[in-house]
Amino acid sequence: MNRVVKWMILSPLLLAWVLLLLLVVLWSASRLMTPTAADRAALALLQAPVPTDGSNAFAWLWLLDYDIPTADLDGVAAQDAQRLRDALTADPAELSPALPQDSSAHGHYPQVTVDAEAVAWCGLREGDCLAHVRAHREALAARLAQEASLLQRVRSLAGYGYVRSEFPPSLDTPLPPLRQLAISPTRSALDFVAGNPSAAFRASCTDVSTWRRLASNSDNLVVSMVGMALLDANARLLAQMLAERPLAEPLPAACRAAFDPALPPLDLCMAMQGEAASMFALLDRLDAAPRRLTEGAWYGLTTDVMRTKARMARSYVPACQTRTRELLARDAPLPPVREFEPVDIFGLDCIGNAAGCVLAGMSAPNQSKYLLRLQDTQARLRLTGLLLDLSAQAAGPAPTALAAAIAAQPPHLRAIAFDVAGGQLQIGLRDTSKGALWSVPLPATHLAHPAAAAPAAAVVAD
């Protein structure tokens, strides 16, 4: 009887020890087996510097709102960066401390002020810029005259090669005043409406060259996406101006440079590296936060920052992988990218980093939508470049020339369709959040000769 009682008492304790030993073995195995070689490679790729050419536009872009002498720009930006570093170190226990969102230039240099009743610049993602300018021509001309120095600063971005933030990485880092960038296509549209098409084409094509370069070489995803919106807006504006311009007028050299087929494709690797750096900075801050002894012990058992970063890298790295870049450049359909990495905290890869696995799963970006937008922007530029090439012909494009050029496009590119009734060319979009099709007007010579056009191709978003 005593033996039975002893066994009943000891059995649960023995089972608990066995389970604890098993958990220790699994935890140790998890720490030994992770991160995997693939995760290490992904993390290394995300942290490898992207080669850049030219000078950094960050200070100029960050301080667009201020009329600051060029010699003072770097100093003001450096002072702003120090203010952010000071705010981040002031309270190490706070994961998301309040950061200053304005510049130290405020109150010391002239700043752009916009009347609440002022007519807005042309929208970047939607709307007809020429129609907007024609409807508000006088008001926009007056506003552009008033903000001539802002226009000069925006267009001076053409002299820069990349945008790399000088601020410490953080999810709460303030953004540059990107809304001001729409002044440039608005000015181009006004020039065209006012009878100066050469200036309009030259400026719009220069904007395309500028933002092909800066959108692909920015470590901030928002800057890259706004840059691609500027590319979309200028592509539409150029197509609309082509539909109205005299075909015999030669195009500026800036347009040949902006739509040179040899230019590198758009890229989002540097932007995704910046996104990952902000998340990694949050993890580092979490890791360095002060804890009581028991909290620290539990944190050490359930969270490993290096392994968490390596797991997060799976979600950010596709934009930097050679295979994805090849598909993007070829306009090929992309394989589906999971928005959230599935988490099994009892799986061998997570037992040693349970809380880190949960954090990694929660932070995964929906990278697919950004890559699809990139592909759509490239398709818009490709179609606009085709129209520009045909328009540059000495005699202007014959009604059959456009159809022949479209038929000669490589078969791996998405279809271009004629909408003869609507007088438009259309391509299907893969990011359908703003619609399934992108349409631009046909050159005027094609409207009178619908029979010369090739049969309309089916336009289906891949």
Side-chain angles (χ1 to χ4, degrees):
M1 186 68 171
N2 289 338
R3 290 181 179 179
V4 174
V5 172
K6 287 181 180 179
W7 179 250
M8 291 176 65
I9 294 173
L10 293 176
S11 292
L13 294 175
L14 181 61
L15 180 61
W17 279 106
V18 169
L19 291 175
L20 180 60
L21 179 62
L22 178 61
L23 184 59
V24 170
V25 170
L26 291 174
W27 185 90
S28 301
S30 177
R31 289 283 172 113
L32 287 172
M33 295 174 63
T34 58
T36 64
D39 287 347
R40 288 181 187 274
L43 184 58
L45 190 56
L46 273 182
Q47 295 178 329
V50 174
T52 53
D53 294 319
S55 52
N56 189 2
F58 175 76
W60 196 267
L61 187 62
W62 164 242
L63 296 166
L64 271 182
D65 268 345
Y66 298 93
D67 195 358
I68 301 176
T70 304
D72 294 349
L73 281 171
D74 289 339
V76 175
Q79 185 175 345
D80 291 341
Q82 187 59 51
R83 292 170 69 214
L84 290 170
R85 283 190 288 270
D86 291 344
L88 286 168
T89 56
D91 187 359
E94 177 60 53
L95 285 183
S96 183
L99 300 181
Q101 297 296 303
D102 60 350
S103 171
S104 58
H106 183 73
H108 298 284
Y109 294 93
Q111 183 178 4
V112 173
T113 56
V114 180
D115 189 333
E117 303 298 321
V119 177
W121 306 131
C122 290
L124 296 183
R125 287 230 174 254
E126 50 206 351
D128 183 332
C129 190
L130 288 179
H132 178 71
V133 168
R134 285 179 173 128
H136 305 282
R137 181 171 170 176
E138 292 185 4
L140 284 171
R143 186 179 174 191
L144 282 162
Q146 180 182 355
E147 299 184 17
S149 61
L150 171 63
L151 177 66
Q152 184 273 328
R153 292 195 295 275
V154 168
R155 290 188 168 175
S156 291
L157 290 167
Y160 292 87
Y162 62 95
V163 183
R164 177 169 284 135
S165 178
E166 297 171 8
F167 291 166
S170 169
L171 295 179
D172 300 313
T173 297
L175 288 169
L178 300 173
R179 67 192 182 282
Q180 305 290 21
L181 298 172
I183 189 175
S184 189
T186 305
R187 174 79 253 185
S188 298
L190 182 63
D191 283 339
F192 184 82
V193 169
N196 192 356
S198 294
F201 276 99
R202 183 171 56 252
S204 191
C205 287
T206 299
D207 278 352
V208 170
S209 290
T210 298
W211 288 101
R212 272 185 185 270
R213 186 171 59 254
L214 297 183
S216 295
N217 294 281
S218 167
D219 65 355
N220 185 291
L221 184 59
V222 176
V223 171
S224 290
M225 287 294 104
V226 172
M228 289 185 193
L230 276 159
L231 290 172
D232 295 344
N234 279 288
R236 179 184 295 279
L237 177 59
L238 284 164
Q240 290 173 331
M241 293 191 297
L242 281 172
E244 298 184 19
R245 71 183 287 272
L247 293 174
E249 180 186 329
L251 288 168
C255 293
R256 293 192 296 274
F259 292 90
D260 185 345
L263 288 171
L266 297 174
D267 195 77
L268 278 181
C269 178
M270 192 170 168
M272 284 302 173
Q273 286 183 328
E275 289 294 294
S278 294
M279 281 304 308
F280 293 170
L282 179 64
L283 289 177
D284 290 337
R285 193 169 181 84
L286 175 67
D287 198 48
R291 295 177 180 84
R292 292 192 293 268
L293 181 62
T294 53
E295 291 174 337
W298 181 251
Y299 174 84
L301 288 171
T302 61
T303 310
D304 182 273
V305 165
M306 186 270 289
R307 289 173 173 81
T308 304
K309 289 179 180 179
R311 189 177 180 90
M312 282 183 178
R314 303 176 190 177
S315 300
Y316 291 95
V317 80
C320 296
Q321 292 173 325
T322 300
R323 178 58 178 159
T324 304
R325 285 166 148 173
E326 289 174 348
L327 293 173
L328 290 170
R330 288 178 53 81
D331 200 30
L334 299 174
V337 178
R338 287 180 297 196
E339 182 173 355
F340 294 102
E341 186 73 21
V343 176
D344 178 8
I345 60 173
F346 298 108
L348 192 57
D349 59 339
C350 281
I351 287 180
N353 185 33
C357 283
V358 173
L359 281 172
M362 292 171 58
S363 70
N366 183 5
Q367 193 170 136
S368 291
K369 66 180 180 182
Y370 302 117
L371 298 177
L372 294 178
R373 286 179 191 171
L374 180 151
Q375 276 195 320
D376 287 342
T377 295
Q378 289 187 147
R380 292 179 178 105
L381 294 175
R382 195 180 298 116
L383 176 54
T384 306
L386 183 147
L387 291 173
L388 284 164
D389 285 343
L390 290 171
S391 298
Q393 295 176 9
T400 56
L402 182 57
I406 291 173
Q409 292 287 294
H412 60 79
L413 299 178
R414 68 187 75 185
I416 301 173
F418 286 97
D419 174 10
V420 177
Q424 295 181 325
L425 292 174
Q426 297 176 333
I427 55 172
L429 299 178
R430 291 178 180 152
D431 171 28
T432 57
S433 60
K434 298 290 185 181
L437 299 174
W438 189 69
S439 302
V440 292
L442 281 164
T445 51
H446 289 73
L447 297 178
H449 303 278
V459 181
V460 180
D462 295 314

